[in-house]
DNA sequence: ATCGAATGTGGAACCGTTTCCTGTCGCTCT
DNA sequence: AGAGCGACAGGAAACGGTTCCACATTCGAT
C-alpha cells in the first residue's frame, strides 16, 4: 500500500510538500502541486485517516446516537444526516442506543469518549446530565435533535404546540370527547417529545373547558402494533366511546385505524383520527396529520454540527437557534365534523 | 487529556508495560496490571484508537453499506448488525448507498478504500465487479447479506424457493389466477432478491401448468405506497381479476390490502394475499407471509465478519456457508381457499 | 548444579501523516 | 544598494500508541 513518501519520491519533492500539495494547505507552486497529484493518482495513493487524525486531532467522523432505526421518523432523520455528512466528506458512526442501562453507559463512556468522533448528534434521546458532561469534558460538540436534557445546541419541533394544534383541529370540528393515545415514557421525562404532545393536548382541552376522562388517555409505544393494542383497549367499550382521537404519532394512528376497522368503527364517520409526523404512508391511509420533516431536520443538525466544527464553507446562515422547527397541519379524510 | 505515558508514570512502569497491562497482551505480573489499571481509571485515561490502529493496522470498525434504512427489512438488519458489533467492541460506520452513480462510486473508492474500516458488510446491494475488486485489493473482508455480485462470503435466503413456496401455498388453496406484485430492479439484476422471487413464482406457476397473464405481473418498488399504486393498477379492472396475489414483500402486501379495501375487494374472500418478510405489522394485519429473520441475519453477518477478522472468541460454529438462511411460512387470515 | 523455558519489564523503533521551523530565492520598496 | 517580505520547499519533530528485542529473574526438569 503506497504511503505519502512514495508519492513524494515519485514527484521529486519532500513529504512535507507532498502533504501540502494534497491537502491544499500552505504554499505550493502550481506545477509542483500538479506533479504531486499526478503521482498520487498514478500509484493509487490514499491518505491514512488514522495517521492524519492522530496529528490533527480531527477525524472527519461524527457519532450519531439514536434510539431506533426502524421507526419512520428516526429512519428519515438518519437518512438525512447520512446524506449531509457524506456530502461534507464526513463519516457517520452509528450508535443505536435505546434504554438506559449498562450498554448505554458503555456507549457514552467508552465509545463516544474515545477520540474517534469529532462531534455527536443525539436524536430523540433524553440525555442525562452525566452524559452531557462526559461529552463536554472531551470537548466534543453535541447537537440534540428533539429529546431532552441536552444543555447544548438543540433543534426541536415545539411538540407542545403540535399537541395543541392537533387537538384544536378536532375541537374546531365540534368534537368534545377527544381521546389521546399518548406516547409512553412521558412520566420519566415530562420534557420528552411524547410528554410535550400530551401536555399540549391537555392544555387545549382545558382551554376548551373540557376535562378528559382518565380512561380516554391511553399510553402506547410509538409503534403501529402497540398503537393497535392501545386503541383496542380505548375503543373496546361499545357503550360510550370518544368521537375523535389524537394519536401521538402517525404510526400509532395507523394502528388505531386498523383497530377501528377491526371493531367495525368507521373512520371518520364514527371516529376522527389525527396523527403526527407526515409519515410516508399517511397519504395512502388518508390520515390527517401534523407534518414535520425529519429528513430535513437531519440535514439541519448536520449543518449545525459542521458549523460547530468550524467547517467554514457552509454558506446558508444558521436558523434562529431558538426557533422551533417547522410543522404543518395537513387535513385529509380521517377527520370530519363530530356527529350530532 | 491523559496519554499512556501519564498512566505509566503514575503506576511506576514503562509505556510498554502499561500498554500490555491495558490491552491484555503479553506478560504482565498480576499486581502490576492492577496498579496500571487503577492509575488509568484514576486519571480517566482512554486509548486513542487512531494511534492504536496506526500501528496495528486494525481499526475495530466495520463499514456497512445498505441501500435503505427506512425499509423494515433493512432497518432490522441494521439493528441486528449494530447490536452484535457493539457487543464485540466494534464501531459501525454507515454508508447509505442506493443507486449507482457518482455518489456511490465515491463511497467505494474514497470512503471504504481508506483504512478506516477493517471490513465491509454489504446488505442487499448488487455489487459490481469493480466494487468487489476495490475492496479485495485493499484486503478488506467483505460479507454480503442478500444482494448479488459479491464474489465473497455471502449469506442469503433462497429467494427463488421463497417465491415458489408462496405461490404453491396459493395453488394448494385452489387458486389458479395468481397475480404477482414484483419488486422492481429485477431486470437489471435477475440475481437480485426481487428477481429471484419472481423466478420462483414463475416456476411454480409453470409447474402447475399455468401461464400467468402478463398484466398479472406488475412491478413495484418494495414500499407500501408503491405497492398500493401497483395494486390499484392490477385490481382496477373489475371484470376479470385475480383471486390471489403474491406480493414481493410484506410492505407491498400492506399497500395491496389497502388498495383492496379502497376498491371494495374483501380480503381474503375475494382476494388472498401472501407477502414475504415477517414484518412487524404482519400479525396485526393478519397477513400470511413467509418470515425471514433480518435481525438474526444481521447478527449472523457480524459473526462471519468477526471470524474473517480472526476475532477468535466467537464460540458458535460457522453456519454451513452454502446453506440458505431459514424462512418459514406463517399462515394467517389473509389467505383462504379459492372461491368456486 | 545446570540448563532452558517461561515470565516479567524496559528501551527504542516504528506506524503515516501534519506542521513547525529554517532557509533560499526573487521581488518591491525606500 | 540594502532591507524586508512573500512564495516556495525541505528537514525534523511531533502525534500516541504497540511491539520487537534485549535483558533479568524465577522455576521445573535433567
Amino acid at each position: 500500500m503506497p504511503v505519502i513518501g512514495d508519492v513524494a519520491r515519485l514527484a521529486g519533492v519532500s513529504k512535507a510538500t507532498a502533504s501540502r500539495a494534497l491537502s491544499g494547505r500552505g504554499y505550493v507552486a502550481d506545477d509542483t502541486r500538479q506533479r504531486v497529484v499526478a503521482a498520487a493518482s498514478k500509484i493509487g495513493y490514499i491518505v491514512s485517516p488514522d495517521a492524519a487524525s492522530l496529528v490533527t486531532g480531527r477525524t472527519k467522523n461524527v457519532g450519531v446516537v439514536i434510539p431506533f432505526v426502524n421507526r419512520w421518523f428516526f429512519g428519515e432523520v438518519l437518512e438525512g444526516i447520512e446524506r449531509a455528512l457524506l456530502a461534507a466528506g464526513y463519516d457517520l458512526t452509528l450508535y443505536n442506543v435505546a434504554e438506559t442501562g449498562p450498554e448505554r453507559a458503555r456507549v457514552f463512556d467508552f465509545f463516544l469518549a474515545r477520540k474517534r468522533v469529532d462531534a455527536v448528534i443525539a436524536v430523540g434521546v433524553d440525555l442525562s446530565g452525566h452524559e452531557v458532561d462526559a461529552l463536554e469534558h472531551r470537548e466534543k460538540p453535541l447537537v440534540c435533535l428533539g429529546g431532552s436534557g441536552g444543555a447544548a445546541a438543540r433543534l426541536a419541533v415545539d411538540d407542545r404546540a403540535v399537541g395543541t394544534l392537533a387537538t384544536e383541529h378536532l375541537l374546531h370540528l365540534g368534537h368534545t370527547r377527544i381521546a389521546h393515545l399518548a406516547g409512553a415514557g412521558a412520566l420519566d421525562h415530562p420534557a420528552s417529545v411524547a410528554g410535550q404532545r400530551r401536555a399540549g393536548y391537555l392544555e387545549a382541552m382545558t382551554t376548551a373547558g373540557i376535562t378528559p376522562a382518565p380512561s380516554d388517555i391511553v399510553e402506547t409505544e410509538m409503534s403501529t402494533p402497540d398503537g393497535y393494542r392501545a386503541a383496542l383497549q380505548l375503543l373496546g367499550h361499545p357503550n360510550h366511546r370518544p368521537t375523535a382521537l389524537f394519536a401521538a404519532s402517525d404510526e400509532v394512528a395507523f394502528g388505531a385505524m386498523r383497530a377501528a376497522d377491526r371493531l367495525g368503527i368507521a373512520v371518520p364517520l364514527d371516529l376522527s383520527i389525527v396523527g403526527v409526523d407526515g409519515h410516508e404512508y399517511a397519504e395512502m391511509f388518508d390520515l390527517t396529520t401534523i407534518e414535520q420533516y425529519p429528513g430535513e431536520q437531519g440535514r439541519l443538525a448536520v449543518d449545525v454540527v459542521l458549523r460547530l466544527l468550524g467547517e467554514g464553507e457552509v454558506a446558508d446562515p444558521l436558523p434562529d437557534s431558538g426557533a422551533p422547527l417547522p410543522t404543518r397541519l395537513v387535513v385529509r379524510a380521517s377527520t370530519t365534523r363530530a356527529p350530532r
Side-chain angles (χ1 to χ4, degrees), chain A:
Chain A
M1 213 87 317
V3 298
I4 202 171
D6 302 333
V7 175
R9 196 169 330 109
L10 185 57
V13 298
S14 69
K15 278 168 47 181
T17 302
S19 172
R20 278 187 295 250
L22 293 172
S23 70
R25 269 180 296 271
Y27 293 115
V28 182
D30 222 45
D31 58 331
T32 308
R33 179 185 323 276
Q34 312 229 334
R35 273 205 331 276
V36 172
V37 170
S41 86
K42 178 169 184 179
I43 62 179
Y45 168 76
I46 295 171
V47 311
S48 155
D50 292 315
S53 61
L54 180 56
V55 30
T56 61
R58 323 199 65 197
T59 63
K60 289 274 207 169
N61 186 7
V62 346
V64 173
V65 353
I66 202 165
F68 312 96
V69 336
N70 226 341
R71 298 256 208 279
W72 182 80
F73 174 84
F74 292 99
E76 287 295 302
V77 168
L78 188 54
E79 269 191 23
I81 291 177
E82 213 278 337
R83 207 180 309 281
L85 242 24
L86 203 69
Y90 273 71
D91 277 333
L92 145 28
T93 301
L94 179 68
Y95 297 101
N96 184 9
V97 167
E99 295 112 82
T100 340
E103 228 181 77
R104 170 158 169 168
R106 186 144 164 274
V107 165
F108 278 88
D109 295 339
F110 174 64
F111 282 98
L112 288 178
R114 297 173 316 167
K115 321 202 80 148
R116 193 167 268 169
V117 299
D118 288 338
V120 173
I121 299 178
V123 3
V125 14
D126 300 312
L127 260 14
S128 77
H130 171 69
E131 287 164 350
V132 173
D133 287 351
L135 260 27
E136 214 150 78
H137 179 250
R138 310 276 171 191
E139 293 174 342
K140 291 198 195 310
L142 167 65
V143 173
C144 292
L145 181 52
S148 70
R154 189 173 130 82
L155 257 41
V157 155
D158 183 345
D159 279 298
R160 187 174 235 271
V162 164
T164 307
L165 179 58
T167 311
E168 282 173 349
H169 168 63
L170 297 171
L171 288 166
H172 288 335
L173 289 172
H175 295 277
T176 52
R177 180 93 194 274
I178 302 172
H180 180 35
L181 292 182
L187 293 182
D188 325 44
H189 293 277
S192 71
V193 167
Q196 290 293 103
R197 288 181 192 169
R198 177 208 288 246
Y201 157 77
L202 288 174
E203 180 186 318
M205 294 295 272
T206 304
T207 302
I210 305 173
T211 305
S215 63
D216 276 0
I217 301 179
V218 179
E219 295 214 346
T220 170
E221 275 179 40
M222 291 285 212
S223 77
T224 298
D226 206 52
Y228 176 64
R229 178 203 55 73
L232 283 182
Q233 175 186 331
L234 175 72
L235 305 171
H237 314 288
N239 27 359
H240 68 304
R241 231 184 238 141
T243 63
L245 174 57
F246 165 37
S249 82
D250 284 353
E251 276 159 304
V252 170
F254 298 145
M257 290 176 107
R258 174 66 182 166
D261 190 40
R262 177 64 66 91
L263 295 169
I265 300 170
V267 174
L269 245 48
D270 302 328
L271 182 72
S272 285
I273 300 183
V274 53
V276 178
D277 269 352
H279 191 288
E280 151 179 48
Y281 296 3
E283 186 175 0
M284 192 186 77
F285 282 110
D286 285 329
L287 177 66
T288 295
T289 186
I290 295 177
E291 289 186 342
Q292 58 179 330
Y293 309 95
E296 180 62 13
Q297 291 177 15
R299 211 188 57 69
L300 236 45
V302 170
D303 266 13
V304 174
V305 148
L306 292 180
R307 198 137 0 197
L308 255 31
L309 289 173
E311 208 82 6
E313 321 87 27
V314 201
D316 35 27
L318 246 183
D320 315 308
S321 48
L325 297 168
T327 56
R328 194 167 65 98
L329 173 66
V330 176
V331 179
R332 297 203 180 86
S334 72
T335 50
T336 191
R337 301 207 61 78
R340 270 163 306 110

